[in-house]
Amino acid sequence: MKKLAVLTIAGSDPSGGAGLQGDLKTFERHGVFGMGALTLLTVQDTRGVQSVKFLDPEFVRAQIATVIQDIPPQAVKTGALGSAEVIDVIAELAKGFAFPLVIDPVIASTNGVVFMDDDAKRMLVKKLMPHAAVIMPNMPEAELLSGRSVKSHDDFPEAARAIADLGAKAVLIKGGHLEGEYSRDLLFWQGRELWFSSEYFDTRHTHGTGCTYSAAVTVELAKGQELAKAVENAKAYVTRAIRTGLDLGQGHGPLNHGAIDRNSQEEAQRIR
Ligand code: PXL
C-alpha cells in the first residue's frame, strides 16, 4: 500500500505535546506516514522547558539527507532548529527540495528558553525562509521577524508584508495570543490578505498548538491542497484539538492531537 510521507525537522518535547512528538501525532491523525529528524533535545513538562541541548549540524544534515533519499516526502516542516549552523545545513539541503517546506519559526519556548539566537534568526531569514512555501509566526515571532510592533490584528497586514519583503513567499501570522470571541490569523499570499477565523476557547490546555498547526498545514500541502485551503483545513483541525484539549500534567496540558471531525462521514466510519 502506498502512503504519502511527510518529514518534520524539529526539537524533542519528551512530554509529548509539542515538537517532533506532537508533529508525528498530527501526521498519524491525518493518515500520512510521518518521519522526524531531530535538531535539539529539551527537558520539559507541561509547566515549561527546563533545559535544551542543540545537536551537531552534521548529525542533523545526515539524518535529513539519509531519510529523504530513501523515502522522498511530499512535504517537510521545520520547528525549533537551534543554532545558525544547523539552519545553514538545512538551507543547503532545501535548495534541492522538490516538495513544499513549511517553517514554524520557533524562537523561544513560552517560558522564555531560547531556541534561536540572533545569528540563527538572521540565518533563518536570509537562507532558509526563501525556500519556504509559507512561514507561520505567532505574534512575538512576527515582531522579531518584521521589526515592527504586533499587538493587535490591525498590526498583522503591515508585519506580514514586511516579512514577505524579506523573501517569504507566504506569511501566516497567528492571532491565538489575543483573547476574544474569535482566534484570527492572517495569510499574506500572492499580494492578497486572507483572514481565517475560528472560535476562541479560553483554556489552559494549549501546549503544542503552534507545532500542531504547522504540522497540519504540511500534511495538507503534501495532499496537494492549495495554500489557502490548507490553512483553512489545518485551522479547523487545530480548533477541534484545542476544544477537546487534554487535562494532563500540572501546567498547560496538550491539545488533543487525536481530535476527530464528527461532521465528517469518512472519519465517523473510521472510528466506528
Ligand atoms: O511550541 C514550540 C516548541 C517547539 N518545539 C519544541 C518545544 C517548543 C516549546 O516549548 O519545546 C521542542
Side-chain angles (χ1 to χ4, degrees), residues 63-98:
Q63 290 177 70
I64 300 164
T66 300
V67 297
I68 66 175
Q69 60 81 31
D70 186 32
I71 305 178
Q74 278 70 46
V76 173
K77 72 156 270 191
T78 61
L81 297 177
S83 65
E85 291 75 18
V86 163
I87 295 171
D88 196 18
V89 299
I90 298 169
E92 284 301 315
L93 288 165
K95 289 180 184 166
F97 285 179

PDB file of all heavy atoms in Angstrom, residues 63-98:
ATOM      1  N   GLN A  63      20.855  13.017   9.170  1.00  0.00           N
ATOM      2  CA  GLN A  63      19.507  12.464   9.395  1.00  0.00           C
ATOM      3  C   GLN A  63      18.584  12.790   8.219  1.00  0.00           C
ATOM      4  O   GLN A  63      17.897  11.928   7.677  1.00  0.00           O
ATOM      5  CB  GLN A  63      18.867  13.067  10.651  1.00  0.00           C
ATOM      6  CG  GLN A  63      19.463  12.668  11.973  1.00  0.00           C
ATOM      7  CD  GLN A  63      18.730  13.419  13.088  1.00  0.00           C
ATOM      8  OE1 GLN A  63      17.560  13.143  13.364  1.00  0.00           O
ATOM      9  NE2 GLN A  63      19.401  14.362  13.706  1.00  0.00           N
ATOM     10  N   ILE A  64      18.590  14.087   7.850  1.00  0.00           N
ATOM     11  CA  ILE A  64      17.650  14.546   6.807  1.00  0.00           C
ATOM     12  C   ILE A  64      18.017  13.932   5.458  1.00  0.00           C
ATOM     13  O   ILE A  64      17.172  13.345   4.774  1.00  0.00           O
ATOM     14  CB  ILE A  64      17.659  16.082   6.711  1.00  0.00           C
ATOM     15  CG1 ILE A  64      17.258  16.707   8.039  1.00  0.00           C
ATOM     16  CG2 ILE A  64      16.714  16.554   5.598  1.00  0.00           C
ATOM     17  CD1 ILE A  64      17.601  18.194   8.141  1.00  0.00           C
ATOM     18  N   ALA A  65      19.303  14.060   5.099  1.00  0.00           N
ATOM     19  CA  ALA A  65      19.741  13.577   3.783  1.00  0.00           C
ATOM     20  C   ALA A  65      19.470  12.083   3.638  1.00  0.00           C
ATOM     21  O   ALA A  65      19.042  11.608   2.582  1.00  0.00           O
ATOM     22  CB  ALA A  65      21.228  13.884   3.587  1.00  0.00           C
ATOM     23  N   THR A  66      19.685  11.345   4.718  1.00  0.00           N
ATOM     24  CA  THR A  66      19.509   9.894   4.671  1.00  0.00           C
ATOM     25  C   THR A  66      18.048   9.511   4.457  1.00  0.00           C
ATOM     26  O   THR A  66      17.730   8.715   3.576  1.00  0.00           O
ATOM     27  CB  THR A  66      20.036   9.261   5.980  1.00  0.00           C
ATOM     28  OG1 THR A  66      21.425   9.574   6.100  1.00  0.00           O
ATOM     29  CG2 THR A  66      19.849   7.753   5.977  1.00  0.00           C
ATOM     30  N   VAL A  67      17.154  10.104   5.237  1.00  0.00           N
ATOM     31  CA  VAL A  67      15.751   9.666   5.105  1.00  0.00           C
ATOM     32  C   VAL A  67      15.116  10.153   3.810  1.00  0.00           C
ATOM     33  O   VAL A  67      14.322   9.417   3.213  1.00  0.00           O
ATOM     34  CB  VAL A  67      14.867  10.027   6.331  1.00  0.00           C
ATOM     35  CG1 VAL A  67      15.364   9.330   7.570  1.00  0.00           C
ATOM     36  CG2 VAL A  67      14.724  11.521   6.536  1.00  0.00           C
ATOM     37  N   ILE A  68      15.466  11.359   3.360  1.00  0.00           N
ATOM     38  CA  ILE A  68      14.751  11.833   2.161  1.00  0.00           C
ATOM     39  C   ILE A  68      15.218  11.158   0.871  1.00  0.00           C
ATOM     40  O   ILE A  68      14.470  11.107  -0.099  1.00  0.00           O
ATOM     41  CB  ILE A  68      14.754  13.378   2.002  1.00  0.00           C
ATOM     42  CG1 ILE A  68      16.150  13.930   1.747  1.00  0.00           C
ATOM     43  CG2 ILE A  68      14.093  14.056   3.193  1.00  0.00           C
ATOM     44  CD1 ILE A  68      16.145  15.437   1.474  1.00  0.00           C
ATOM     45  N   GLN A  69      16.462  10.617   0.887  1.00  0.00           N
ATOM     46  CA  GLN A  69      16.847   9.904  -0.340  1.00  0.00           C
ATOM     47  C   GLN A  69      16.236   8.506  -0.355  1.00  0.00           C
ATOM     48  O   GLN A  69      16.048   7.919  -1.411  1.00  0.00           O
ATOM     49  CB  GLN A  69      18.373   9.909  -0.559  1.00  0.00           C
ATOM     50  CG  GLN A  69      19.217   9.270   0.531  1.00  0.00           C
ATOM     51  CD  GLN A  69      19.278   7.748   0.412  1.00  0.00           C
ATOM     52  OE1 GLN A  69      19.218   7.203  -0.688  1.00  0.00           O
ATOM     53  NE2 GLN A  69      19.351   7.081   1.545  1.00  0.00           N
ATOM     54  N   ASP A  70      15.870   8.002   0.790  1.00  0.00           N
ATOM     55  CA  ASP A  70      15.238   6.674   0.857  1.00  0.00           C
ATOM     56  C   ASP A  70      13.718   6.776   0.695  1.00  0.00           C
ATOM     57  O   ASP A  70      13.119   6.069  -0.116  1.00  0.00           O
ATOM     58  CB  ASP A  70      15.586   6.036   2.214  1.00  0.00           C
ATOM     59  CG  ASP A  70      15.094   4.609   2.308  1.00  0.00           C
ATOM     60  OD1 ASP A  70      15.050   3.920   1.261  1.00  0.00           O
ATOM     61  OD2 ASP A  70      14.750   4.180   3.416  1.00  0.00           O
ATOM     62  N   ILE A  71      13.113   7.664   1.465  1.00  0.00           N
ATOM     63  CA  ILE A  71      11.658   7.881   1.387  1.00  0.00           C
ATOM     64  C   ILE A  71      11.430   9.362   1.067  1.00  0.00           C
ATOM     65  O   ILE A  71      11.385  10.201   1.969  1.00  0.00           O
ATOM     66  CB  ILE A  71      10.962   7.524   2.721  1.00  0.00           C
ATOM     67  CG1 ILE A  71      11.295   6.100   3.151  1.00  0.00           C
ATOM     68  CG2 ILE A  71       9.450   7.734   2.602  1.00  0.00           C
ATOM     69  CD1 ILE A  71      10.681   5.678   4.483  1.00  0.00           C
ATOM     70  N   PRO A  72      11.322   9.707  -0.219  1.00  0.00           N
ATOM     71  CA  PRO A  72      11.122  11.122  -0.553  1.00  0.00           C
ATOM     72  C   PRO A  72       9.758  11.596  -0.030  1.00  0.00           C
ATOM     73  O   PRO A  72       8.733  10.996  -0.363  1.00  0.00           O
ATOM     74  CB  PRO A  72      11.150  11.150  -2.087  1.00  0.00           C
ATOM     75  CG  PRO A  72      11.758   9.842  -2.493  1.00  0.00           C
ATOM     76  CD  PRO A  72      11.416   8.856  -1.418  1.00  0.00           C
ATOM     77  N   PRO A  73       9.758  12.654   0.805  1.00  0.00           N
ATOM     78  CA  PRO A  73       8.486  13.120   1.338  1.00  0.00           C
ATOM     79  C   PRO A  73       7.731  13.999   0.334  1.00  0.00           C
ATOM     80  O   PRO A  73       8.333  14.507  -0.614  1.00  0.00           O
ATOM     81  CB  PRO A  73       8.914  13.947   2.559  1.00  0.00           C
ATOM     82  CG  PRO A  73      10.291  14.398   2.248  1.00  0.00           C
ATOM     83  CD  PRO A  73      10.908  13.389   1.322  1.00  0.00           C
ATOM     84  N   GLN A  74       6.436  14.183   0.581  1.00  0.00           N
ATOM     85  CA  GLN A  74       5.636  15.084  -0.257  1.00  0.00           C
ATOM     86  C   GLN A  74       5.612  16.500   0.323  1.00  0.00           C
ATOM     87  O   GLN A  74       5.178  17.437  -0.345  1.00  0.00           O
ATOM     88  CB  GLN A  74       4.206  14.556  -0.408  1.00  0.00           C
ATOM     89  CG  GLN A  74       4.048  13.490  -1.488  1.00  0.00           C
ATOM     90  CD  GLN A  74       4.698  12.175  -1.133  1.00  0.00           C
ATOM     91  OE1 GLN A  74       4.539  11.683  -0.018  1.00  0.00           O
ATOM     92  NE2 GLN A  74       5.458  11.620  -2.059  1.00  0.00           N
ATOM     93  N   ALA A  75       6.037  16.644   1.583  1.00  0.00           N
ATOM     94  CA  ALA A  75       6.162  17.965   2.204  1.00  0.00           C
ATOM     95  C   ALA A  75       7.021  17.829   3.460  1.00  0.00           C
ATOM     96  O   ALA A  75       7.123  16.741   4.033  1.00  0.00           O
ATOM     97  CB  ALA A  75       4.800  18.556   2.545  1.00  0.00           C
ATOM     98  N   VAL A  76       7.613  18.964   3.862  1.00  0.00           N
ATOM     99  CA  VAL A  76       8.502  18.991   5.034  1.00  0.00           C
ATOM    100  C   VAL A  76       8.165  20.212   5.870  1.00  0.00           C
ATOM    101  O   VAL A  76       7.786  21.254   5.327  1.00  0.00           O
ATOM    102  CB  VAL A  76       9.986  19.084   4.586  1.00  0.00           C
ATOM    103  CG1 VAL A  76      10.909  19.278   5.780  1.00  0.00           C
ATOM    104  CG2 VAL A  76      10.400  17.836   3.835  1.00  0.00           C
ATOM    105  N   LYS A  77       8.293  20.085   7.198  1.00  0.00           N
ATOM    106  CA  LYS A  77       8.193  21.267   8.052  1.00  0.00           C
ATOM    107  C   LYS A  77       9.415  21.376   8.931  1.00  0.00           C
ATOM    108  O   LYS A  77      10.067  20.369   9.235  1.00  0.00           O
ATOM    109  CB  LYS A  77       6.924  21.265   8.911  1.00  0.00           C
ATOM    110  CG  LYS A  77       6.928  20.275  10.042  1.00  0.00           C
ATOM    111  CD  LYS A  77       5.967  20.679  11.181  1.00  0.00           C
ATOM    112  CE  LYS A  77       6.657  21.538  12.222  1.00  0.00           C
ATOM    113  NZ  LYS A  77       5.862  21.741  13.457  1.00  0.00           N
ATOM    114  N   THR A  78       9.707  22.619   9.345  1.00  0.00           N
ATOM    115  CA  THR A  78      10.719  22.817  10.372  1.00  0.00           C
ATOM    116  C   THR A  78      10.067  23.432  11.604  1.00  0.00           C
ATOM    117  O   THR A  78       9.152  24.243  11.495  1.00  0.00           O
ATOM    118  CB  THR A  78      11.875  23.733   9.898  1.00  0.00           C
ATOM    119  OG1 THR A  78      11.349  25.020   9.558  1.00  0.00           O
ATOM    120  CG2 THR A  78      12.603  23.142   8.711  1.00  0.00           C
ATOM    121  N   GLY A  79      10.576  23.010  12.775  1.00  0.00           N
ATOM    122  CA  GLY A  79      10.150  23.588  14.044  1.00  0.00           C
ATOM    123  C   GLY A  79      11.346  24.244  14.704  1.00  0.00           C
ATOM    124  O   GLY A  79      12.088  24.984  14.055  1.00  0.00           O
ATOM    125  N   ALA A  80      11.570  23.946  15.983  1.00  0.00           N
ATOM    126  CA  ALA A  80      12.716  24.519  16.696  1.00  0.00           C
ATOM    127  C   ALA A  80      14.001  23.980  16.066  1.00  0.00           C
ATOM    128  O   ALA A  80      14.160  22.765  15.921  1.00  0.00           O
ATOM    129  CB  ALA A  80      12.645  24.147  18.177  1.00  0.00           C
ATOM    130  N   LEU A  81      14.928  24.893  15.694  1.00  0.00           N
ATOM    131  CA  LEU A  81      16.112  24.458  14.942  1.00  0.00           C
ATOM    132  C   LEU A  81      17.421  24.631  15.691  1.00  0.00           C
ATOM    133  O   LEU A  81      18.374  23.915  15.438  1.00  0.00           O
ATOM    134  CB  LEU A  81      16.169  25.197  13.595  1.00  0.00           C
ATOM    135  CG  LEU A  81      14.993  24.903  12.658  1.00  0.00           C
ATOM    136  CD1 LEU A  81      15.102  25.719  11.386  1.00  0.00           C
ATOM    137  CD2 LEU A  81      14.885  23.418  12.338  1.00  0.00           C
ATOM    138  N   GLY A  82      17.473  25.598  16.604  1.00  0.00           N
ATOM    139  CA  GLY A  82      18.701  25.762  17.392  1.00  0.00           C
ATOM    140  C   GLY A  82      19.673  26.729  16.754  1.00  0.00           C
ATOM    141  O   GLY A  82      19.349  27.879  16.530  1.00  0.00           O
ATOM    142  N   SER A  83      20.842  26.241  16.393  1.00  0.00           N
ATOM    143  CA  SER A  83      21.940  27.137  16.017  1.00  0.00           C
ATOM    144  C   SER A  83      21.866  27.605  14.565  1.00  0.00           C
ATOM    145  O   SER A  83      21.223  26.981  13.712  1.00  0.00           O
ATOM    146  CB  SER A  83      23.261  26.396  16.214  1.00  0.00           C
ATOM    147  OG  SER A  83      23.337  25.321  15.315  1.00  0.00           O
ATOM    148  N   ALA A  84      22.606  28.683  14.285  1.00  0.00           N
ATOM    149  CA  ALA A  84      22.741  29.181  12.910  1.00  0.00           C
ATOM    150  C   ALA A  84      23.353  28.111  12.012  1.00  0.00           C
ATOM    151  O   ALA A  84      22.961  27.960  10.850  1.00  0.00           O
ATOM    152  CB  ALA A  84      23.613  30.441  12.898  1.00  0.00           C
ATOM    153  N   GLU A  85      24.269  27.324  12.559  1.00  0.00           N
ATOM    154  CA  GLU A  85      24.939  26.289  11.754  1.00  0.00           C
ATOM    155  C   GLU A  85      23.945  25.212  11.318  1.00  0.00           C
ATOM    156  O   GLU A  85      24.005  24.729  10.180  1.00  0.00           O
ATOM    157  CB  GLU A  85      26.092  25.656  12.542  1.00  0.00           C
ATOM    158  CG  GLU A  85      27.274  26.570  12.788  1.00  0.00           C
ATOM    159  CD  GLU A  85      27.022  27.624  13.875  1.00  0.00           C
ATOM    160  OE1 GLU A  85      26.075  27.438  14.681  1.00  0.00           O
ATOM    161  OE2 GLU A  85      27.740  28.631  13.903  1.00  0.00           O
ATOM    162  N   VAL A  86      23.044  24.836  12.221  1.00  0.00           N
ATOM    163  CA  VAL A  86      22.018  23.842  11.858  1.00  0.00           C
ATOM    164  C   VAL A  86      21.104  24.409  10.777  1.00  0.00           C
ATOM    165  O   VAL A  86      20.772  23.732   9.793  1.00  0.00           O
ATOM    166  CB  VAL A  86      21.205  23.405  13.109  1.00  0.00           C
ATOM    167  CG1 VAL A  86      19.904  22.719  12.711  1.00  0.00           C
ATOM    168  CG2 VAL A  86      22.040  22.475  13.986  1.00  0.00           C
ATOM    169  N   ILE A  87      20.722  25.659  10.933  1.00  0.00           N
ATOM    170  CA  ILE A  87      19.841  26.289   9.931  1.00  0.00           C
ATOM    171  C   ILE A  87      20.554  26.360   8.582  1.00  0.00           C
ATOM    172  O   ILE A  87      19.951  26.125   7.529  1.00  0.00           O
ATOM    173  CB  ILE A  87      19.377  27.670  10.425  1.00  0.00           C
ATOM    174  CG1 ILE A  87      18.510  27.488  11.677  1.00  0.00           C
ATOM    175  CG2 ILE A  87      18.595  28.413   9.333  1.00  0.00           C
ATOM    176  CD1 ILE A  87      18.163  28.759  12.405  1.00  0.00           C
ATOM    177  N   ASP A  88      21.844  26.633   8.609  1.00  0.00           N
ATOM    178  CA  ASP A  88      22.623  26.697   7.382  1.00  0.00           C
ATOM    179  C   ASP A  88      22.612  25.350   6.642  1.00  0.00           C
ATOM    180  O   ASP A  88      22.400  25.307   5.428  1.00  0.00           O
ATOM    181  CB  ASP A  88      24.060  27.123   7.723  1.00  0.00           C
ATOM    182  CG  ASP A  88      24.825  27.582   6.496  1.00  0.00           C
ATOM    183  OD1 ASP A  88      24.188  27.902   5.484  1.00  0.00           O
ATOM    184  OD2 ASP A  88      26.071  27.604   6.558  1.00  0.00           O
ATOM    185  N   VAL A  89      22.807  24.258   7.362  1.00  0.00           N
ATOM    186  CA  VAL A  89      22.824  22.964   6.656  1.00  0.00           C
ATOM    187  C   VAL A  89      21.425  22.628   6.117  1.00  0.00           C
ATOM    188  O   VAL A  89      21.300  22.063   5.024  1.00  0.00           O
ATOM    189  CB  VAL A  89      23.366  21.782   7.518  1.00  0.00           C
ATOM    190  CG1 VAL A  89      24.799  21.995   7.951  1.00  0.00           C
ATOM    191  CG2 VAL A  89      22.497  21.438   8.681  1.00  0.00           C
ATOM    192  N   ILE A  90      20.386  23.003   6.843  1.00  0.00           N
ATOM    193  CA  ILE A  90      19.025  22.727   6.345  1.00  0.00           C
ATOM    194  C   ILE A  90      18.750  23.573   5.098  1.00  0.00           C
ATOM    195  O   ILE A  90      18.169  23.096   4.118  1.00  0.00           O
ATOM    196  CB  ILE A  90      17.969  22.986   7.441  1.00  0.00           C
ATOM    197  CG1 ILE A  90      18.194  22.042   8.623  1.00  0.00           C
ATOM    198  CG2 ILE A  90      16.549  22.792   6.882  1.00  0.00           C
ATOM    199  CD1 ILE A  90      17.375  22.382   9.861  1.00  0.00           C
ATOM    200  N   ALA A  91      19.223  24.827   5.123  1.00  0.00           N
ATOM    201  CA  ALA A  91      19.024  25.707   3.962  1.00  0.00           C
ATOM    202  C   ALA A  91      19.743  25.153   2.731  1.00  0.00           C
ATOM    203  O   ALA A  91      19.213  25.204   1.616  1.00  0.00           O
ATOM    204  CB  ALA A  91      19.515  27.117   4.288  1.00  0.00           C
ATOM    205  N   GLU A  92      20.936  24.605   2.939  1.00  0.00           N
ATOM    206  CA  GLU A  92      21.665  23.998   1.809  1.00  0.00           C
ATOM    207  C   GLU A  92      20.867  22.828   1.233  1.00  0.00           C
ATOM    208  O   GLU A  92      20.719  22.697   0.018  1.00  0.00           O
ATOM    209  CB  GLU A  92      23.055  23.522   2.260  1.00  0.00           C
ATOM    210  CG  GLU A  92      24.062  24.650   2.437  1.00  0.00           C
ATOM    211  CD  GLU A  92      24.280  25.437   1.144  1.00  0.00           C
ATOM    212  OE1 GLU A  92      24.437  24.816   0.086  1.00  0.00           O
ATOM    213  OE2 GLU A  92      24.275  26.687   1.205  1.00  0.00           O
ATOM    214  N   LEU A  93      20.328  21.981   2.135  1.00  0.00           N
ATOM    215  CA  LEU A  93      19.528  20.844   1.676  1.00  0.00           C
ATOM    216  C   LEU A  93      18.240  21.326   0.989  1.00  0.00           C
ATOM    217  O   LEU A  93      17.786  20.732   0.003  1.00  0.00           O
ATOM    218  CB  LEU A  93      19.158  19.946   2.861  1.00  0.00           C
ATOM    219  CG  LEU A  93      20.292  19.115   3.457  1.00  0.00           C
ATOM    220  CD1 LEU A  93      19.901  18.565   4.821  1.00  0.00           C
ATOM    221  CD2 LEU A  93      20.665  17.961   2.514  1.00  0.00           C
ATOM    222  N   ALA A  94      17.677  22.399   1.507  1.00  0.00           N
ATOM    223  CA  ALA A  94      16.384  22.889   0.991  1.00  0.00           C
ATOM    224  C   ALA A  94      16.482  23.335  -0.464  1.00  0.00           C
ATOM    225  O   ALA A  94      15.476  23.335  -1.182  1.00  0.00           O
ATOM    226  CB  ALA A  94      15.862  24.023   1.869  1.00  0.00           C
ATOM    227  N   LYS A  95      17.698  23.690  -0.905  1.00  0.00           N
ATOM    228  CA  LYS A  95      17.881  24.064  -2.320  1.00  0.00           C
ATOM    229  C   LYS A  95      17.447  22.935  -3.242  1.00  0.00           C
ATOM    230  O   LYS A  95      17.041  23.160  -4.373  1.00  0.00           O
ATOM    231  CB  LYS A  95      19.352  24.407  -2.591  1.00  0.00           C
ATOM    232  CG  LYS A  95      19.795  25.705  -1.966  1.00  0.00           C
ATOM    233  CD  LYS A  95      21.271  25.963  -2.285  1.00  0.00           C
ATOM    234  CE  LYS A  95      21.754  27.214  -1.585  1.00  0.00           C
ATOM    235  NZ  LYS A  95      23.217  27.329  -1.587  1.00  0.00           N
ATOM    236  N   GLY A  96      17.588  21.694  -2.739  1.00  0.00           N
ATOM    237  CA  GLY A  96      17.236  20.543  -3.572  1.00  0.00           C
ATOM    238  C   GLY A  96      15.857  19.974  -3.286  1.00  0.00           C
ATOM    239  O   GLY A  96      15.476  18.944  -3.866  1.00  0.00           O
ATOM    240  N   PHE A  97      15.081  20.608  -2.389  1.00  0.00           N
ATOM    241  CA  PHE A  97      13.753  20.057  -2.055  1.00  0.00           C
ATOM    242  C   PHE A  97      12.813  20.193  -3.252  1.00  0.00           C
ATOM    243  O   PHE A  97      12.619  21.288  -3.785  1.00  0.00           O
ATOM    244  CB  PHE A  97      13.131  20.788  -0.864  1.00  0.00           C
ATOM    245  CG  PHE A  97      13.734  20.443   0.484  1.00  0.00           C
ATOM    246  CD1 PHE A  97      13.268  21.066   1.641  1.00  0.00           C
ATOM    247  CD2 PHE A  97      14.739  19.494   0.605  1.00  0.00           C
ATOM    248  CE1 PHE A  97      13.814  20.760   2.879  1.00  0.00           C
ATOM    249  CE2 PHE A  97      15.277  19.190   1.850  1.00  0.00           C
ATOM    250  CZ  PHE A  97      14.819  19.824   2.989  1.00  0.00           C
ATOM    251  N   ALA A  98      12.212  19.076  -3.639  1.00  0.00           N
ATOM    252  CA  ALA A  98      11.255  19.109  -4.738  1.00  0.00           C
ATOM    253  C   ALA A  98       9.828  19.085  -4.185  1.00  0.00           C
ATOM    254  O   ALA A  98       8.901  18.656  -4.849  1.00  0.00           O
ATOM    255  CB  ALA A  98      11.497  17.900  -5.648  1.00  0.00           C
TER     256      ALA A  98
END
